[in-house]
Amino acid sequence: AKYETNTPIHTLGGMVKLSFMFNEHFFVQGGIALSGAFQDVAHNLYNSFVTLRIQGNFGISADFKWIRPFVVAGIEYAYLSPYAITSSITCKTFGRDDIECLDGDVSNNSESSLFGFDVSLGVNVGKDPFYLVIESYLALYVAPISSELLRLPIGVTLALQYRF
């Protein structure tokens, strides 16, 4: 059985992106991110896991003195380390080795490679060459996936940007 968590899974990590501006408004970018997941509030997630994401995107932006809003869309590959989930109170309280925690009470996910699409909406605030970046993103993994748990990750990024 596959179990989802009752609450969001929070992650924290870092990302490096490189962008090439074709002109003042159109650009292409690539990025690589590494993040780690924290325990969810309901403790359905047995162990932390690591995610490696690689993105390739096209974007459009506008330029208003100190503010540069942008929209980005493209493809994404994600690698997830193995993790386990349960909704069983017995398994969460007494552990996986308890006699009352049955094999079907724990979902072990060894799925490692996901492919899909991503879209981001954000704004750069600052003056060349330094910017503060606030960005929200949404990804939709389409292949291969057997669980709905991590199919639609959303997030917010806060970053510093140097433009050269």
Side-chain angles (χ1 to χ4, degrees):
K2 297 286 183 185
Y3 298 103
E4 295 190 18
T5 60
N6 298 343
T7 55
I9 298 172
H10 300 286
T11 62
L12 182 64
M15 175 175 253
V16 174
K17 285 186 180 179
L18 295 175
S19 301
F20 176 77
M21 299 289 294
F22 292 114
N23 58 37
E24 195 173 309
H25 302 290
F26 296 99
F27 62 95
V28 63
Q29 76 179 13
I32 186 167
L34 185 63
S35 60
F38 298 109
Q39 180 63 259
D40 61 307
V41 175
H43 298 283
N44 292 353
L45 187 62
Y46 258 120
N47 56 306
S48 296
F49 61 91
V50 175
T51 303
L52 172 70
R53 295 175 27 230
I54 300 171
Q55 302 170 320
N57 301 312
F58 290 98
I60 186 169
S61 66
D63 195 5
F64 303 103
K65 213 166 192 169
W66 292 77
I67 297 173
R68 180 181 283 274
F70 61 88
V71 176
V72 177
I75 57 173
E76 181 169 317
Y77 163 80
Y79 168 80
L80 280 68
S81 64
Y83 60 92
I85 296 173
T86 188
S87 61
S88 166
I89 300 294
T90 302
C91 297
K92 289 192 271 187
T93 305
F94 300 108
R96 292 167 115 168
D97 297 328
D98 188 80
I99 196 162
E100 296 294 322
C101 182
L102 306 175
D103 287 340
D105 291 340
V106 178
S107 172
N108 292 300
N109 193 330
S110 60
E111 215 165 88
S112 60
S113 293
L114 305 172
F115 296 92
F117 305 98
D118 64 68
V119 64
S120 299
L121 178 64
V123 64
N124 296 346
V125 179
K127 185 153 175 61
D128 270 342
F130 296 102
Y131 290 92
L132 174 67
V133 181
I134 302 167
E135 181 178 8
S136 61
Y137 69 88
L138 169 71
L140 172 63
Y141 297 126
V142 294
I145 191 153
S146 58
S147 169
E148 297 291 318
L149 174 63
L150 299 172
R151 186 173 203 156
L152 199 66
I154 59 172
V156 175
T157 302
L158 181 64
L160 295 175
Q161 178 184 42
Y162 178 77
R163 223 172 127 173
F164 51 93

